[in-house]
Amino acid sequence: MPNFPTLAKLADDLESGRATSRKLAEACIAKIADPAGEGQRTFIHVDKDAALAAADAMDGLRKAKAAPSRYAGIPISIKDLFDIKGQVTRAGSRALDDSPPAEHDAVTVARLRKAGFVVIGRTNMTEFAYSGIGINPHYGTPKGIWNRAAGHVPGGSSSGAAVSVLDGMAHGALGTDTGGSCRIPAAFNGIVGYKPTQRRVPLDGSVPLSFSLDSIGPLARSVSCCAILDAVLANEPIVPLKPRPVKGMRLAVPTTIALDDLDAAVAETFERALKTLADHGAIIERIEMAEFHDIGPMNAKGGFAAAESFAWHRYLITSKGDVYDPRVAVRIMRGEAQSAADYIDLLNERRSLIARVNARIAPYDALVMPTTPNTPPKIADLADDKAFAHENVRALRNCSLINMIDGCAISLPAHREGDVPVGLMLAGAGGSDRRIFELAAGMEAVIRV
């Protein structure tokens, strides 16, 4: 990955005068406009004038010693799922083209602006966030970092979010995660993606996929970058992140489902990372997670995503179904067959699942597993619907386990430089966000050696 700076480095440069927000914004805009790059497929909308005006404002406030935060003036991207005042929120679709512009910023967008971050533009995504692959037939598909000439998927649904950070078109990104949509594109592109405990970050002002599972999180270049953005999104104080020593970490590797059918590169990278952690003194135990076997049957009729997305889309898809991505529409329509009794059963089963898993993992600091069992497939190889469905289910599998247990999780790059990107996921029960960040910060420096 190109050696772009972290948020801390950018903040230092802004404070010292080595950089200005104007110059940072202009550099991001130039990257987006580069015809040899992925900008045209990565962004659905770039608000150049507003971004430069905001950058100039932050430079003025910093000069007056009135910057709203240490990170004021740093350009970030916003997934097309979020309301931005005065803009149409399309959610990566054409079905919302004639919707009125948003009257207010989404709560999370407003919080980022309040901290002084500069919004560069709206990033491309899987239509209505309903896939872990990142292909979009309406706006094109940005190529992921791996073997770009051949064209591999970026991961989804926050596809443009990941590529914007990867290619220096933004220095952080706002994404969502319903079944892995922050973590999968992070894993496929060698960056960091975070899924918070859902209740910490309000969903107001974002187009829902599944209000039971949707989480709003950041994609960025380091664990500390994600921790900074997460604190802003959750309206919590930004406090220094203290990495936990690897020595003494108690880590559980679930052998149920999470290690099935791994691509060779994923298996090799994951086992090497575990050995490295053990060599540094981590206590690693492989455990059965019988509870994970319950999740497949719970989702047999489409689960929360199908039921709740159908409830939201049922009128729109009736009038404009012909402009939906067929691969998205077919998944939404699965919700039509679910009854109220099915949905109530699902709610009760999930409550039981969460309680049982939390009891199982209580003795450990975190769960550790591959973020995805697959490496990024070629875009061209997914033209066939069966091939697409197969790889999509694989990409979502491990991440969605954590959404179902109402947990929090981070994906760290675990591959060596030059190898195919592979993510290592660190996860915990809901409410353990700070611990997960501290553990991840401790691991980050050692797992790629």
Side-chain angles (χ1 to χ4, degrees), residues 135 141-144 150-154 327 376-384:
I135 289 175
T141 301
K143 296 176 183 175
H152 289 248
V153 301
R327 289 170 169 174
K378 287 184 182 177
I379 296 170
D381 290 347
L382 303 185
D384 176 77

Side-chain angles (χ1 to χ4, degrees), residues 291-304:
E291 298 82 6
F292 283 174
H293 285 304
D294 296 342
I295 294 175
M298 288 170 66
N299 289 327
K301 294 183 179 181
F304 288 107

Side-chain angles (χ1 to χ4, degrees), residues 5 35 44 50 71 75 83 110 113 122 124 155 182 208 217 223 254 398 436 444:
I44 286 176
Y71 305 96
D83 287 346
R113 287 197 200 274
R122 311 177 70 95
N124 198 357
C182 285
V223 174
N398 286 4
I436 293 299
E444 186 176 34

Side-chain angles (χ1 to χ4, degrees), residues 185-378:
F188 279 3
N189 289 287
I191 61 172
V192 182
Y194 188 67
K195 178 244 177 290
T197 303
Q198 188 202 37
R199 58 186 174 270
R200 291 179 55 248
V201 182
L203 303 175
D204 307 70
S206 60
V207 176
L209 171 55
S210 165
F211 52 80
S212 292
L213 304 177
D214 292 344
S215 303
I216 295 174
L219 296 89
R221 299 190 181 115
S222 70
V223 174
S224 65
C225 291
C226 280
I228 290 162
L229 291 169
D230 171 77
V232 173
L233 297 175
N235 199 29
E236 297 173 356
I238 301 173
V239 296
L241 183 61
K242 296 180 180 178
R244 288 204 186 187
V246 175
K247 186 175 182 180
M249 287 183 185
R250 290 187 55 82
L251 306 173
V253 178
T255 58
T256 308
I257 297 177
L259 302 184
D260 294 350
D261 190 28
L262 302 182
D263 284 359
V266 174
E268 180 182 343
T269 301
F270 182 64
E271 291 300 331
R272 183 177 67 235
L274 291 181
K275 182 179 185 305
T276 301
L277 291 170
D279 288 346
H280 280 79
I283 302 161
I284 299 173
E285 185 178 346
R286 295 174 188 259
I287 65 170
E288 288 274 345
M289 291 282 290
E291 298 82 6
F292 283 174
H293 285 304
D294 296 342
I295 294 175
M298 288 170 66
N299 289 327
K301 294 183 179 181
F304 288 107
E308 294 171 358
S309 65
F310 177 74
W312 192 90
H313 285 270
R314 64 190 186 275
Y315 302 118
L316 184 66
I317 206 168
T318 297
S319 62
K320 295 188 176 181
D322 58 323
V323 298
Y324 276 62
D325 178 352
R327 289 170 169 174
V328 170
V330 71
R331 300 182 78 194
I332 292 171
M333 292 306 297
R334 292 186 70 196
E336 186 176 27
Q338 287 194 45
S339 68
D342 291 330
Y343 187 74
I344 291 168
D345 284 346
L346 195 55
L347 290 170
N348 291 332
E349 289 164 1
R350 187 183 185 214
R351 276 193 289 271
S352 169
L353 174 75
I354 292 168
R356 288 180 287 122
V357 169
N358 286 353
R360 173 89 65 180
I361 66 178
Y364 305 98
D365 290 320
L367 295 174
V368 184
M369 64 187 89
T371 306
T372 66
N374 50 348
T375 56
K378 287 184 182 177

